[in-house]
PDB file of all heavy atoms in Angstrom:
ATOM      1  N   LEU A 437     -19.256   6.643  10.830  1.00  0.00           N
ATOM      2  CA  LEU A 437     -18.608   5.808   9.822  1.00  0.00           C
ATOM      3  C   LEU A 437     -19.251   4.430   9.770  1.00  0.00           C
ATOM      4  O   LEU A 437     -19.395   3.837   8.689  1.00  0.00           O
ATOM      5  CB  LEU A 437     -17.115   5.688  10.140  1.00  0.00           C
ATOM      6  CG  LEU A 437     -16.237   4.978   9.094  1.00  0.00           C
ATOM      7  CD1 LEU A 437     -16.271   5.724   7.771  1.00  0.00           C
ATOM      8  CD2 LEU A 437     -14.805   4.860   9.608  1.00  0.00           C
ATOM      9  N   ALA A 470     -11.110   0.363  20.197  1.00  0.00           N
ATOM     10  CA  ALA A 470     -11.351   1.562  21.002  1.00  0.00           C
ATOM     11  C   ALA A 470     -11.839   1.165  22.396  1.00  0.00           C
ATOM     12  O   ALA A 470     -11.472   1.790  23.402  1.00  0.00           O
ATOM     13  CB  ALA A 470     -12.380   2.459  20.314  1.00  0.00           C
ATOM     14  N   PHE A 472     -11.024  -1.623  23.915  1.00  0.00           N
ATOM     15  CA  PHE A 472      -9.846  -2.160  24.614  1.00  0.00           C
ATOM     16  C   PHE A 472      -8.996  -1.021  25.171  1.00  0.00           C
ATOM     17  O   PHE A 472      -8.526  -1.082  26.319  1.00  0.00           O
ATOM     18  CB  PHE A 472      -9.019  -3.024  23.655  1.00  0.00           C
ATOM     19  CG  PHE A 472      -7.695  -3.444  24.215  1.00  0.00           C
ATOM     20  CD1 PHE A 472      -7.610  -4.465  25.144  1.00  0.00           C
ATOM     21  CD2 PHE A 472      -6.524  -2.793  23.828  1.00  0.00           C
ATOM     22  CE1 PHE A 472      -6.380  -4.844  25.678  1.00  0.00           C
ATOM     23  CE2 PHE A 472      -5.303  -3.166  24.358  1.00  0.00           C
ATOM     24  CZ  PHE A 472      -5.225  -4.194  25.275  1.00  0.00           C
ATOM     25  N   THR A 474      -9.979   1.926  26.014  1.00  0.00           N
ATOM     26  CA  THR A 474     -10.707   2.531  27.138  1.00  0.00           C
ATOM     27  C   THR A 474     -10.596   1.655  28.380  1.00  0.00           C
ATOM     28  O   THR A 474     -10.448   2.160  29.497  1.00  0.00           O
ATOM     29  CB  THR A 474     -12.186   2.731  26.774  1.00  0.00           C
ATOM     30  OG1 THR A 474     -12.279   3.392  25.518  1.00  0.00           O
ATOM     31  CG2 THR A 474     -12.902   3.568  27.822  1.00  0.00           C
ATOM     32  N   PHE A 485     -12.763  -2.457  42.608  1.00  0.00           N
ATOM     33  CA  PHE A 485     -13.953  -3.132  42.084  1.00  0.00           C
ATOM     34  C   PHE A 485     -13.581  -4.444  41.379  1.00  0.00           C
ATOM     35  O   PHE A 485     -13.941  -4.661  40.220  1.00  0.00           O
ATOM     36  CB  PHE A 485     -14.702  -2.204  41.108  1.00  0.00           C
ATOM     37  CG  PHE A 485     -14.905  -0.817  41.641  1.00  0.00           C
ATOM     38  CD1 PHE A 485     -14.102   0.237  41.222  1.00  0.00           C
ATOM     39  CD2 PHE A 485     -15.896  -0.561  42.581  1.00  0.00           C
ATOM     40  CE1 PHE A 485     -14.285   1.519  41.729  1.00  0.00           C
ATOM     41  CE2 PHE A 485     -16.085   0.707  43.093  1.00  0.00           C
ATOM     42  CZ  PHE A 485     -15.275   1.752  42.670  1.00  0.00           C
ATOM     43  N   GLU A 511     -15.787  12.451  26.507  1.00  0.00           N
ATOM     44  CA  GLU A 511     -16.445  13.683  26.953  1.00  0.00           C
ATOM     45  C   GLU A 511     -15.921  14.112  28.326  1.00  0.00           C
ATOM     46  O   GLU A 511     -15.674  15.302  28.570  1.00  0.00           O
ATOM     47  CB  GLU A 511     -17.956  13.463  27.022  1.00  0.00           C
ATOM     48  CG  GLU A 511     -18.745  14.644  27.547  1.00  0.00           C
ATOM     49  CD  GLU A 511     -20.216  14.315  27.739  1.00  0.00           C
ATOM     50  OE1 GLU A 511     -20.661  13.246  27.268  1.00  0.00           O
ATOM     51  OE2 GLU A 511     -20.921  15.116  28.367  1.00  0.00           O
ATOM     52  N   SER A 533     -26.643   1.988  34.820  1.00  0.00           N
ATOM     53  CA  SER A 533     -27.744   2.388  33.942  1.00  0.00           C
ATOM     54  C   SER A 533     -27.901   1.397  32.791  1.00  0.00           C
ATOM     55  O   SER A 533     -29.020   1.025  32.430  1.00  0.00           O
ATOM     56  CB  SER A 533     -27.483   3.791  33.400  1.00  0.00           C
ATOM     57  OG  SER A 533     -28.487   4.176  32.494  1.00  0.00           O
ATOM     58  N   ALA A 537     -31.282  -0.818  32.300  1.00  0.00           N
ATOM     59  CA  ALA A 537     -32.064  -0.592  31.092  1.00  0.00           C
ATOM     60  C   ALA A 537     -32.258  -1.882  30.306  1.00  0.00           C
ATOM     61  O   ALA A 537     -33.317  -2.132  29.740  1.00  0.00           O
ATOM     62  CB  ALA A 537     -31.391   0.460  30.223  1.00  0.00           C
ATOM     63  N   GLU A 553     -20.131  -3.315  45.535  1.00  0.00           N
ATOM     64  CA  GLU A 553     -18.769  -2.769  45.568  1.00  0.00           C
ATOM     65  C   GLU A 553     -18.784  -1.240  45.516  1.00  0.00           C
ATOM     66  O   GLU A 553     -17.965  -0.582  46.158  1.00  0.00           O
ATOM     67  CB  GLU A 553     -17.947  -3.339  44.405  1.00  0.00           C
ATOM     68  CG  GLU A 553     -17.603  -4.802  44.581  1.00  0.00           C
ATOM     69  CD  GLU A 553     -16.584  -5.305  43.587  1.00  0.00           C
ATOM     70  OE1 GLU A 553     -16.624  -4.863  42.405  1.00  0.00           O
ATOM     71  OE2 GLU A 553     -15.744  -6.132  43.975  1.00  0.00           O
ATOM     72  N   GLY A 567     -16.040  12.686  50.883  1.00  0.00           N
ATOM     73  CA  GLY A 567     -17.347  12.855  50.270  1.00  0.00           C
ATOM     74  C   GLY A 567     -18.219  13.780  51.084  1.00  0.00           C
ATOM     75  O   GLY A 567     -17.784  14.389  52.054  1.00  0.00           O
ATOM     76  N   HIS A 578     -33.481  11.911  73.551  1.00  0.00           N
ATOM     77  CA  HIS A 578     -33.719  10.496  73.822  1.00  0.00           C
ATOM     78  C   HIS A 578     -35.181  10.303  74.213  1.00  0.00           C
ATOM     79  O   HIS A 578     -35.646  10.866  75.206  1.00  0.00           O
ATOM     80  CB  HIS A 578     -32.805  10.003  74.949  1.00  0.00           C
ATOM     81  CG  HIS A 578     -31.348  10.221  74.661  1.00  0.00           C
ATOM     82  ND1 HIS A 578     -30.612   9.367  73.874  1.00  0.00           N
ATOM     83  CD2 HIS A 578     -30.499  11.212  75.039  1.00  0.00           C
ATOM     84  CE1 HIS A 578     -29.369   9.814  73.788  1.00  0.00           C
ATOM     85  NE2 HIS A 578     -29.285  10.936  74.491  1.00  0.00           N
ATOM     86  N   VAL A 595     -34.281  12.799  62.351  1.00  0.00           N
ATOM     87  CA  VAL A 595     -33.503  11.561  62.436  1.00  0.00           C
ATOM     88  C   VAL A 595     -32.270  11.710  61.548  1.00  0.00           C
ATOM     89  O   VAL A 595     -32.395  12.041  60.364  1.00  0.00           O
ATOM     90  CB  VAL A 595     -34.321  10.339  61.993  1.00  0.00           C
ATOM     91  CG1 VAL A 595     -33.549   9.055  62.287  1.00  0.00           C
ATOM     92  CG2 VAL A 595     -35.684  10.324  62.666  1.00  0.00           C
ATOM     93  N   VAL A 613     -22.225 -14.977  44.744  1.00  0.00           N
ATOM     94  CA  VAL A 613     -21.735 -14.744  43.385  1.00  0.00           C
ATOM     95  C   VAL A 613     -20.212 -14.910  43.349  1.00  0.00           C
ATOM     96  O   VAL A 613     -19.672 -15.566  42.459  1.00  0.00           O
ATOM     97  CB  VAL A 613     -22.127 -13.336  42.895  1.00  0.00           C
ATOM     98  CG1 VAL A 613     -21.478 -13.044  41.542  1.00  0.00           C
ATOM     99  CG2 VAL A 613     -23.648 -13.204  42.788  1.00  0.00           C
ATOM    100  N   GLN A 618     -15.338 -18.064  41.841  1.00  0.00           N
ATOM    101  CA  GLN A 618     -14.055 -18.685  42.185  1.00  0.00           C
ATOM    102  C   GLN A 618     -14.007 -20.149  41.781  1.00  0.00           C
ATOM    103  O   GLN A 618     -12.931 -20.693  41.517  1.00  0.00           O
ATOM    104  CB  GLN A 618     -13.803 -18.556  43.693  1.00  0.00           C
ATOM    105  CG  GLN A 618     -13.324 -17.178  44.111  1.00  0.00           C
ATOM    106  CD  GLN A 618     -12.761 -17.175  45.521  1.00  0.00           C
ATOM    107  OE1 GLN A 618     -13.001 -18.089  46.299  1.00  0.00           O
ATOM    108  NE2 GLN A 618     -12.016 -16.137  45.852  1.00  0.00           N
ATOM    109  N   LEU A 632     -32.345  -9.782  49.283  1.00  0.00           N
ATOM    110  CA  LEU A 632     -31.800  -9.440  50.593  1.00  0.00           C
ATOM    111  C   LEU A 632     -31.462  -7.960  50.621  1.00  0.00           C
ATOM    112  O   LEU A 632     -31.359  -7.303  49.574  1.00  0.00           O
ATOM    113  CB  LEU A 632     -30.578 -10.286  50.940  1.00  0.00           C
ATOM    114  CG  LEU A 632     -29.250  -9.991  50.250  1.00  0.00           C
ATOM    115  CD1 LEU A 632     -28.125 -10.737  50.960  1.00  0.00           C
ATOM    116  CD2 LEU A 632     -29.281 -10.401  48.778  1.00  0.00           C
ATOM    117  N   THR A 649     -26.489  -7.313  57.224  1.00  0.00           N
ATOM    118  CA  THR A 649     -27.698  -7.829  56.585  1.00  0.00           C
ATOM    119  C   THR A 649     -28.897  -7.407  57.425  1.00  0.00           C
ATOM    120  O   THR A 649     -28.931  -7.652  58.635  1.00  0.00           O
ATOM    121  CB  THR A 649     -27.657  -9.363  56.483  1.00  0.00           C
ATOM    122  OG1 THR A 649     -26.488  -9.757  55.748  1.00  0.00           O
ATOM    123  CG2 THR A 649     -28.885  -9.888  55.761  1.00  0.00           C
ATOM    124  N   VAL A 657     -36.730   1.827  56.746  1.00  0.00           N
ATOM    125  CA  VAL A 657     -36.554   2.913  57.715  1.00  0.00           C
ATOM    126  C   VAL A 657     -35.226   3.625  57.483  1.00  0.00           C
ATOM    127  O   VAL A 657     -35.161   4.864  57.406  1.00  0.00           O
ATOM    128  CB  VAL A 657     -36.622   2.361  59.157  1.00  0.00           C
ATOM    129  CG1 VAL A 657     -36.149   3.405  60.160  1.00  0.00           C
ATOM    130  CG2 VAL A 657     -38.051   1.930  59.483  1.00  0.00           C
ATOM    131  N   SER A 659     -33.407   3.767  54.841  1.00  0.00           N
ATOM    132  CA  SER A 659     -33.381   4.451  53.548  1.00  0.00           C
ATOM    133  C   SER A 659     -34.052   5.814  53.614  1.00  0.00           C
ATOM    134  O   SER A 659     -33.741   6.714  52.830  1.00  0.00           O
ATOM    135  CB  SER A 659     -34.079   3.600  52.480  1.00  0.00           C
ATOM    136  OG  SER A 659     -33.370   2.407  52.242  1.00  0.00           O
ATOM    137  N   VAL A 661     -33.919   7.867  56.150  1.00  0.00           N
ATOM    138  CA  VAL A 661     -33.162   8.792  57.001  1.00  0.00           C
ATOM    139  C   VAL A 661     -32.211   9.611  56.132  1.00  0.00           C
ATOM    140  O   VAL A 661     -31.343   9.056  55.461  1.00  0.00           O
ATOM    141  CB  VAL A 661     -32.370   8.025  58.073  1.00  0.00           C
ATOM    142  CG1 VAL A 661     -31.460   8.974  58.847  1.00  0.00           C
ATOM    143  CG2 VAL A 661     -33.319   7.293  59.006  1.00  0.00           C
ATOM    144  N   ASP A 668     -41.796  11.382  62.140  1.00  0.00           N
ATOM    145  CA  ASP A 668     -43.035  11.126  61.411  1.00  0.00           C
ATOM    146  C   ASP A 668     -42.785  10.988  59.914  1.00  0.00           C
ATOM    147  O   ASP A 668     -43.376  10.126  59.246  1.00  0.00           O
ATOM    148  CB  ASP A 668     -44.045  12.253  61.668  1.00  0.00           C
ATOM    149  CG  ASP A 668     -44.721  12.128  63.022  1.00  0.00           C
ATOM    150  OD1 ASP A 668     -44.598  11.053  63.645  1.00  0.00           O
ATOM    151  OD2 ASP A 668     -45.374  13.095  63.456  1.00  0.00           O
ATOM    152  N   LEU A 671     -41.210   7.559  59.189  1.00  0.00           N
ATOM    153  CA  LEU A 671     -42.195   6.479  59.261  1.00  0.00           C
ATOM    154  C   LEU A 671     -43.132   6.516  58.055  1.00  0.00           C
ATOM    155  O   LEU A 671     -43.487   5.467  57.505  1.00  0.00           O
ATOM    156  CB  LEU A 671     -42.990   6.581  60.565  1.00  0.00           C
ATOM    157  CG  LEU A 671     -42.168   6.409  61.850  1.00  0.00           C
ATOM    158  CD1 LEU A 671     -43.071   6.511  63.081  1.00  0.00           C
ATOM    159  CD2 LEU A 671     -41.417   5.075  61.861  1.00  0.00           C
ATOM    160  N   GLU A 673     -42.402   7.779  55.024  1.00  0.00           N
ATOM    161  CA  GLU A 673     -41.619   7.348  53.854  1.00  0.00           C
ATOM    162  C   GLU A 673     -41.426   5.832  53.863  1.00  0.00           C
ATOM    163  O   GLU A 673     -41.480   5.179  52.817  1.00  0.00           O
ATOM    164  CB  GLU A 673     -40.262   8.051  53.860  1.00  0.00           C
ATOM    165  CG  GLU A 673     -40.292   9.521  53.535  1.00  0.00           C
ATOM    166  CD  GLU A 673     -40.519   9.780  52.060  1.00  0.00           C
ATOM    167  OE1 GLU A 673     -40.190   8.894  51.244  1.00  0.00           O
ATOM    168  OE2 GLU A 673     -41.021  10.856  51.727  1.00  0.00           O
ATOM    169  N   GLY A 703     -32.725  17.488  67.944  1.00  0.00           N
ATOM    170  CA  GLY A 703     -33.762  18.489  68.151  1.00  0.00           C
ATOM    171  C   GLY A 703     -34.068  19.317  66.933  1.00  0.00           C
ATOM    172  O   GLY A 703     -35.145  19.903  66.838  1.00  0.00           O
TER     173      GLY A 703
END
Side-chain angles (χ1 to χ4, degrees):
L437 187 61
F472 171 77
T474 310
F485 312 102
E511 177 186 349
S533 177
E553 289 191 323
H578 303 278
V595 188
V613 174
Q618 282 194 343
L632 74 168
T649 302
V657 168
S659 295
V661 173
D668 282 347
L671 297 181
E673 288 285 335

